[in-house]
Amino acid sequence: MKKQVLFTETVLRDGQQSQIATRMPTSDMLPIIEILDEAGFHALEMWGGATFDACIRFLNEDPWERLRAIRKMTKKTKLQMLLRGQNLLGYKNYADDVVATFIQKSLENGIDIIRVFDALNDTRNLKTSIEATKKFGGHCQTAISYTTSDFHTIDYFVKLALEMEDMGADSICVKDMAGILTPEDAYSLVTGIKDKINLPLEIHTHATSGISEMTYLKAIEAGADIIDTAISSFSGGTSQPATESMALSLKGLGYETQLDMEKVAAVAEYFNPVRDKFRQEGLLNPKVKDTEPKTLLYKVPGGMLSNLLSQLSEQGLSDKYEEVLAEVPRVRADLGYPPLVTPLSQMVGTQAVMNVISGERYKIVPKEIKDYVKGLYGKPPVAISKEMTQLIIGNEELVTVRPADLLSPELPIYEKEIQEYAKSIEDVLLYALFPQQGKDFLGRREDRFYEVPIQKVNVKLAIP
C-alpha cells in the first residue's frame, strides 16, 4: 500500500492573505471553484483569518455571501476556515454566546472544518469553540501555535496536543505562522505527537525562511497526514510552498497525494493572470516573494517584518529597522514568550517600535500590552516577572480566570444596536466583529445610511 499525504489548498485564504493582504474579491475566485473542487484536495481553506475584515473594509463584499457562493459550487471538497478562538475573527475576546452563534452560522452557511487556535496556546480560550463546533456538527481542528524558546520544548507541544485531544479535537494542526519550524524539529515534533495521539495531524508553515519544503518532507516522513500548500501563483515567500512542486516531489518519493495534476495545473494557469493583475495594481509587493533567513534569527513572521518596516518608514525611521528587529525577541522574553501570531505579533512589534523610538524601554506602553499583562488575553506561556508586571501595570490586580468568564452575554446588545440595518443574525455577527466597518457596510447595502467611502489604503498584513 502506498504511503499517502493529503493537501489543503490555501490560495483562497492564507495564500492571498500572505501576499496581497486578502484583497482578492469573490469574483476572482468563482470561475475556478469547480476545477478546485475536482482537483482532489483534502480541503480548501477559503474563509476566516482576515477575510471578514477585508471583505467589508476594502471590497464592499458580504463575507457570508462569499461562503455561500463557494459552498454552492463545491460538491466534493471540504471547506475550511481559520478561527482565533475566543477572538473569532476580530481582535478582542467575545462572550460565549457570540462565539457559539458565530460557529453555528459558519457551519450552517457551508464550513466543514474549523481550525481554531489561541495566540497563547491557552486552551481555556478554545473551550467554547471546540464545544460549539462539535455541537453543531463541524469538524474541529485545534491548532498549536508553534514558537520557540527554552520553554517551548517538544514535550510541551506533545502535552498540548494531548490536552486538545481530551477536549474533543477531531484533528490537530501544528501552525507554524513564522516559518521557523526546522526540519529536525518537525521530525521530532510529529514523531512525539503521533506516538501519543491517534488523530489526523496537519502541518502548516510559511516559506518565509527558505526551509519549508524540507520541513514538510521531514514531517511527512515522521507521519504527518496533511500539509498546507498554495498554488504556485500565490506561493513562496510569506505564503506556503507551491502545491505543484510539493505534489510532484512527493509522488517521486512514492507518496499518493490524491491530486489530479492536470486540474492542479489548470488552477495555476487561471491564477497566474490574477496574480499579475494585483502586481500591476501595486498590491503585490515583490518583497513578499523574498526569502528572509532573518526569520530564523529573530523568530519574526514575514508579514510582521514588513509591518515593522512600514511603521518605521511612515515615521522616517527606517534606519532603526535592525534595532527594532533585535528588540522584538527581548520584548517577547519580557512578556513571557508569547507566540508571534495575531494579535500578539502586532502587539509585541508595536511595543518594540515604541521602545526604540522613545529611547527608553516601556516608557510608552499601549493599552493592549497592559491588558495582556493583566491576563485579559489569557495566560502567558511563561510567567511574566514581578518586576516587569510592576513596570507595566503597577499594582493593578491580575486576572487568573478564563478571560471570557468576565464577559456577560453580548449578542442581545449587538442585535439591538444594529437592528435598523441587520436583516439576519449573520448581519448582527458581522457588526459584532467589526462594529464601525460592519455598520458602514450594512448602511451602504441598505442605501439609507450616510455616504461611507470604501477604504483604498493598503492594509497591514495580519499574521495568520
Side-chain angles (χ1 to χ4, degrees):
M1 183 177 177
K2 275 192 173 183
K3 297 172 287 186
Q4 178 175 272
V5 57
L6 301 178
F7 281 63
T8 293
E9 173 58 53
T10 70
V11 66
L12 303 179
R13 206 287 298 176
D14 201 15
Q16 61 123 349
Q17 179 173 320
S18 296
Q19 296 201 341
I20 58 171
T22 332
R23 293 298 210 286
M24 188 185 295
T26 305
S27 59
D28 280 347
M29 302 176 182
L30 295 182
I32 197 63
I33 295 300
E34 290 181 351
I35 295 178
L36 275 168
D37 187 35
E38 295 283 344
F41 290 107
H42 164 70
L44 301 177
E45 196 211 31
M46 47 67 64
W47 216 55
T51 56
F52 238 70
D53 192 355
C55 274
I56 61 175
R57 190 190 301 262
F58 299 103
L59 302 175
N60 200 31
E61 286 188 13
D62 185 337
W64 295 101
E65 287 293 340
R66 172 181 294 185
L67 172 56
R68 288 188 284 264
I70 294 177
R71 175 77 280 170
K72 186 176 181 179
M73 300 177 69
T74 310
K75 309 298 183 183
K76 298 181 178 181
T77 311
K78 296 180 177 67
L79 298 184
Q80 181 172 308
M81 73 170 294
L82 181 68
L83 194 77
R84 301 186 191 115
Q86 209 71 29
N87 297 161
L88 294 176
L89 305 180
Y91 304 98
K92 68 171 187 175
N93 283 330
Y94 294 90
D96 287 337
D97 64 330
V98 177
V99 173
T101 304
F102 183 86
I103 287 172
Q104 177 185 2
K105 292 302 173 181
S106 298
L107 295 168
E108 287 179 0
N109 279 275
I111 289 295
D112 298 298
I113 302 170
I114 295 182
R115 177 182 291 173
V116 57
F117 75 96
D118 178 66
L120 297 174
N121 289 317
D122 186 341
T123 55
R124 299 176 304 170
N125 292 333
L126 303 179
K127 179 177 179 292
T128 301
S129 296
I130 294 172
E131 291 175 352
T133 304
K134 303 284 282 186
K135 177 181 178 181
F136 297 112
H139 176 111
C140 184
Q141 182 181 86
T142 55
I144 294 168
S145 296
Y146 181 79
T147 190
T148 58
S149 73
D150 291 341
F151 174 79
H152 290 92
T153 62
I154 298 298
D155 186 55
Y156 163 82
F157 288 121
V158 171
K159 288 179 179 177
L160 189 58
L162 281 167
E163 187 176 351
M164 290 173 170
E165 181 183 39
D166 290 342
M167 293 176 74
D170 295 303
S171 61
I172 304 288
C173 174
V174 175
K175 179 177 169 57
D176 174 30
M177 54 280 173
I180 58 174
L181 177 60
T182 61
E184 64 271 30
D185 285 345
Y187 189 89
S188 298
L189 180 55
V190 172
T191 299
I193 292 175
K194 295 295 283 187
D195 186 52
K196 295 292 185 181
I197 69 171
N198 190 31
L199 295 176
L201 180 62
E202 188 157 355
I203 309 298
H204 173 96
T205 192
H206 288 249
T208 319
S209 63
I211 63 172
S212 55
E213 291 87 354
M214 289 190 291
T215 294
Y216 273 160
L217 179 58
K218 297 304 291 184
I220 290 165
E221 288 177 353
D225 302 288
I226 313 164
I227 58 173
D228 288 4
T229 59
I231 204 71
S232 55
S233 319
F234 285 91
S235 71
T238 53
S239 180
Q240 280 74 55
T243 301
E244 306 97 303
S245 304
M246 285 301 307
L248 291 168
S249 298
L250 289 169
K251 183 179 180 181
L253 291 170
Y255 289 93
E256 173 58 53
T257 67
Q258 294 193 353
L259 293 179
D260 181 330
M261 295 309 296
E262 287 188 6
K263 287 187 168 61
V264 171
V267 173
E269 289 173 10
Y270 172 80
F271 276 115
N272 283 340
V274 174
R275 172 203 59 207
D276 294 342
K277 175 188 69 174
F278 284 105
R279 181 181 288 136
Q280 291 164 6
E281 293 173 353
L283 281 170
L284 178 60
N285 187 326
K287 284 188 172 294
V288 302
K289 292 285 192 179
D290 289 351
T291 299
E292 183 48 87
K294 288 179 182 177
T295 299
L296 295 169
L297 179 63
Y298 296 117
K299 315 299 183 185
V300 176
M304 186 176 172
L305 288 169
S306 60
N307 282 354
L308 292 174
L309 183 57
S310 176
Q311 287 184 49
L312 292 168
S313 297
E314 287 172 3
Q315 301 177 64
L317 296 170
S318 54
D319 60 314
K320 299 286 187 181
Y321 182 56
E322 291 289 338
E323 192 177 345
V324 170
L325 279 185
E327 177 66 5
V328 167
R330 290 195 286 266
V331 171
R332 182 169 170 258
D334 291 340
L335 299 180
Y337 295 99
L340 294 177
V341 65
T342 300
L344 270 301
S345 52
Q346 289 89 338
M347 291 159 57
V348 169
T350 299
Q351 186 64 66
V353 169
M354 289 182 172
N355 285 357
V356 169
I357 66 177
S358 70
E360 181 182 336
R361 303 186 79 230
Y362 302 103
K363 179 180 180 180
I364 304 171
V365 180
K367 179 181 182 298
E368 291 80 5
I369 292 289
K370 293 180 180 179
D371 286 346
Y372 165 74
V373 173
K374 288 178 191 175
L376 289 174
Y377 284 83
K379 184 180 179 182
V382 178
I384 300 172
S385 70
K386 292 181 180 179
E387 294 78 11
M388 186 57 58
T389 300
Q390 177 71 30
L391 176 64
I392 293 176
I393 63 169
N395 295 318
E396 291 190 49
E397 188 175 352
L398 296 178
V399 172
T400 57
V401 299
R402 183 182 74 115
D405 288 341
L406 302 175
L407 301 175
S408 301
E410 297 172 330
L411 202 56
I413 298 172
Y414 290 126
E415 288 179 313
K416 184 176 181 180
E417 289 177 350
I418 200 62
Q419 61 184 347
E420 185 178 357
Y421 306 108
K423 292 182 176 179
S424 65
I425 192 65
E426 286 87 350
D427 288 347
V428 174
L429 291 165
L430 185 151
Y431 167 76
L433 266 60
F434 300 98
Q436 188 58 59
Q437 290 78 22
K439 185 176 181 181
D440 291 349
F441 171 79
L442 294 172
R444 287 193 299 269
R445 185 190 70 184
E446 295 305 300
D447 197 29
R448 48 191 180 85
F449 198 40
Y450 54 83
E451 184 71 19
V452 182
I454 308 295
Q455 289 193 32
K456 296 297 184 183
V457 295
N458 286 338
V459 69
K460 292 176 181 176
L461 292 173
I463 313 304

